[in-house]
Amino acid sequence: MSGGLLVAGTTSDAGKSVVTAGICRWLVRQGVKVAPFKAQNMSLNSFVTREGAEIGRAQAMQAQACRVEPTALMNPVLLKPGGEQSSQVVLLGKPVGELSARGYHGGRQQQLLGTVLDCLAELRGTYDAVICEGAGSPAEINLRRTDIVNMGIARNAGLPVLVVGDIDRGGVFASFFGTVALLSPEDQALVAGFLVNKFRGDVSLLEPGLDMLHGLTGRRAYGVLPFRHGLGIDEEDGLRVSLRGTVRESAVSPPLGEDVLRVAVCAIPLMSNFTDVDALAAEPGVVVRFVDRAEELADADLVVVPGTRGTVRALEWLRERGLAEAIARRAAEGRPVLGICGGFQILGEHIEDEVESRAGSVDGLGLLPVRVRFAREKTLTRPVGEALGEPVEGYEIHHGVARVGGGEPFLDGCRVGQTWGTHWHGSLESDGFRRAFLREVAAAAGRRFVPAPDTSFAALREEQLDRLGDLIEQHADTDALWRLIESGAPQGLPFIPPGAPA
């Protein structure tokens, strides 16, 4: 078997990433050697593989669903937005430059098609099946000519296409029909059918619509996945201006101690790897929320300044909103503050940036004795170490090089009182260290909070991936999916007018 499938979507956030992960976990439980693939990903949530390559975190999680090590082959092109108009292009795990959207879609994207196809071919030569994820919608007719992630990759690699639609948003039937009807005859021939995501209620009420859709398009539904709370993998959305009010889902279990612990994450511009706080949200009794107003820090027991693709811009934003002053006041009062990567740089004394923002010399918040100079070469490593008497693993993704001039050592950074800073992403996923850190935070905050002694973040991740596999196994037509992956799109699928414009 050397099968493949492209999971496309009617929109961004339709559920492509989770469906891909679910199909991967279902297949691996059937004894299939499977790998994920996303030709081009736009995300500020990224991960470092063991060979030192940067890829999207969603593909790293999908690799975990496959029970294989993630590699650069699984996400050959990663775009990291630096604003509304430009992105850093990461090719095979290494940054190769900054491009405007016009410059990328105007020619560079098509030049990468050969590299993308080579990576997919190498994976297909190694694994029994490769489950590919598209991006946005395959019916972006303005971008079809240069597309390398949706129908462009499907056409060149002969992949059948499954279109996922989020029925919770409404309009799913029109979205399914319109997606097919805006594709060329050659592209339509590869679209095998549909998968409904996030359905609530009695499926029998949906079936007449699915039958009508089949009659209109000649394409069947491969399943209806029910809505489930708390399911998902690491998010890709890298351009949210603010996540204020968004609360990370916490464990259902009540706190072990008498108090909960409140964590406020500053929703800074171009926030990256905000998935770092998922490990905190997994702890019973820890409530994590994103904030963008100074007054929202008042009742927080811990404030986190997360990573960012725009350190200087985020620093200016914190000052404009009064958050910088509120954070400094907290630090002076001995109330816990944690800076991660770009957030760590912001907490330092001075930033010299001729690379990311080209702002030159900028004063930081001065809460940690750290001076940062931005280097053109990006640091991409998987460090291991110890902190608070516990082993810690993490990964680093940054241009800023920190020179620490004092304080107590903390991972590769430092702490002064209850202000902590490190470049290490993912450190809070180390269970013993996370518990030790939360005990320090609770003591400093005066909270009678006790971390659970048995929370395993890795086990929770595995449980989540198994639940995604269960969704596919229980609510999709897996026999039909298997045939699709193994044999390709059915022959003789009808053309739905009008098709793509000339």
Side-chain angles (χ1 to χ4, degrees):
M1 177 182 180
S2 181
L5 174 69
L6 175 70
V7 178
T10 55
T11 62
S12 294
D13 203 33
K16 297 182 293 291
S17 296
V18 294
V19 168
T20 299
I23 292 174
C24 286
R25 178 48 62 101
W26 160 65
L27 283 172
V28 82
R29 293 195 305 207
Q30 309 307 307
V32 178
K33 187 180 178 185
V34 60
F37 180 78
K38 184 160 186 172
Q40 172 195 296
N41 192 352
M42 178 174 279
S43 178
L44 286 174
N45 286 333
S46 58
F47 182 74
V48 179
T49 67
R50 294 207 179 276
E51 69 268 30
E54 185 179 10
I55 66 172
R57 275 200 65 94
Q59 280 60 66
M61 288 296 297
Q62 288 163 354
Q64 186 176 341
C66 297
R67 297 180 179 144
V68 298
E69 272 292 321
T71 73
L73 294 174
M74 297 170 183
N75 179 206
V77 181
L78 173 64
L79 305 179
K80 303 196 73 175
E84 300 293 337
Q85 298 295 328
S86 67
S87 293
Q88 182 181 69
V89 181
V90 179
L91 179 61
L92 292 174
K94 304 296 180 183
V96 294
E98 296 273 340
L99 276 181
S100 67
R102 180 178 293 275
Y104 184 69
H105 290 287
R108 182 60 190 270
Q109 185 179 33
Q110 192 65 20
Q111 296 170 8
L112 298 173
L113 179 60
T115 299
V116 162
L117 291 172
D118 288 345
C119 291
L120 178 57
E122 186 171 342
L123 288 174
R124 295 185 80 176
T126 306
Y127 292 89
D128 299 330
V130 178
I131 308 302
C132 308
E133 179 188 343
S137 161
E140 307 289 0
I141 54 178
N142 57 315
L143 303 177
R144 176 62 185 91
R145 183 178 61 83
T146 57
D147 171 47
I148 64 170
V149 64
N150 290 306
M151 301 313 299
I153 194 77
R155 281 270 292 280
N156 279 280
L159 294 171
V161 179
L162 182 68
V163 180
V164 178
D166 179 357
I167 197 170
D168 201 45
R169 295 181 172 200
V172 75
F173 292 114
S175 298
F176 281 144
F177 183 88
T179 296
V180 179
L182 281 176
L183 300 178
S184 68
E186 296 82 2
D187 286 351
Q188 286 193 22
L190 294 172
V191 178
F194 314 106
L195 187 73
V196 177
N197 191 30
K198 296 185 182 179
F199 180 71
R200 305 172 191 252
D202 185 348
V203 176
S204 66
L205 298 177
L206 190 66
E207 288 171 352
L210 297 176
D211 291 340
M212 285 186 274
L213 185 66
H214 189 193
L216 288 166
T217 67
R219 290 158 174 84
R220 55 163 297 176
Y222 281 76
V224 177
L225 306 185
F227 185 93
R228 292 286 186 267
H229 285 285
L231 276 187
I233 61 176
D234 293 355
E235 292 149 282
E236 295 182 357
D237 186 1
L239 282 176
R240 295 189 194 188
V241 175
S242 171
L243 290 173
R244 187 174 65 82
T246 300
V247 178
R248 304 303 275 181
E249 295 218 16
S250 302
V252 176
S253 307
L256 269 68
E258 296 179 41
D259 293 336
V260 298
L261 211 59
R262 295 174 176 84
V263 179
V265 184
C266 297
I268 54 181
L270 297 174
M271 182 165 47
S272 62
N273 287 69
F274 54 82
T275 48
D276 282 334
V277 301
D278 285 349
L280 295 178
E283 284 284 349
V286 176
V287 178
V288 179
R289 70 184 188 276
F290 291 91
V291 304
D292 62 4
R293 295 197 299 240
E295 56 269 27
E296 293 176 298
L297 304 187
D299 68 342
D301 302 307
L302 169 67
V303 170
V304 178
V305 187
T308 173
R309 173 85 164 86
T311 299
V312 171
R313 178 177 167 187
L315 179 57
E316 292 170 349
W317 181 89
L318 288 168
R319 285 180 167 137
E320 289 167 0
R321 289 176 170 259
L323 283 157
E325 184 181 349
I327 291 169
R329 190 162 53 246
R330 286 182 62 91
E333 295 168 354
R335 302 173 68 195
V337 177
L338 171 65
I340 302 174
C341 199
F344 167 42
Q345 297 164 10
I346 285 169
L347 297 182
E349 297 171 344
H350 187 77
I351 298 168
E352 191 72 30
D353 181 13
E354 299 292 350
V355 176
E356 188 176 77
S357 68
R358 297 179 175 85
S361 296
V362 178
D363 288 333
L365 297 188
L367 306 181
L368 291 173
V370 174
R371 300 180 73 83
V372 176
R373 178 185 57 80
F374 274 68
R376 297 201 175 276
E377 185 174 345
K378 182 183 283 191
T379 297
L380 296 168
T381 63
R382 289 275 293 271
V384 295
E386 183 178 297
L388 303 179
E390 298 287 347
V392 190
E393 296 184 15
Y395 56 98
E396 295 187 45
I397 306 169
H398 54 91
H399 284 280
V401 178
R403 181 163 58 85
V404 179
E408 298 177 48
F410 175 62
L411 303 178
D412 72 334
C414 65
R415 71 176 284 195
V416 173
Q418 289 300 319
T419 302
W420 315 63
T422 178
H423 271 134
W424 291 23
H425 294 292
S427 63
L428 293 166
E429 296 180 19
S430 298
D431 297 327
F433 165 71
R434 182 179 65 254
R435 287 191 279 269
F437 177 69
L438 289 176
R439 281 193 290 269
E440 288 245 5
V441 168
R447 297 289 185 189
R448 289 170 293 185
F449 168 84
V450 179
D454 55 355
T455 301
S456 167
F457 189 71
L460 290 173
R461 284 285 199 206
E462 276 296 302
E463 179 185 319
Q464 188 178 48
L465 292 169
D466 275 330
R467 290 174 65 198
L468 290 174
D470 292 343
L471 272 185
I472 297 299
E473 191 167 334
Q474 296 167 10
H475 300 282
D477 186 338
T478 51
D479 289 340
L481 267 182
W482 186 275
R483 288 193 298 271
L484 197 60
I485 293 166
E486 193 172 31
S487 305
Q491 298 297 305
L493 292 168
F495 171 69
I496 308 302

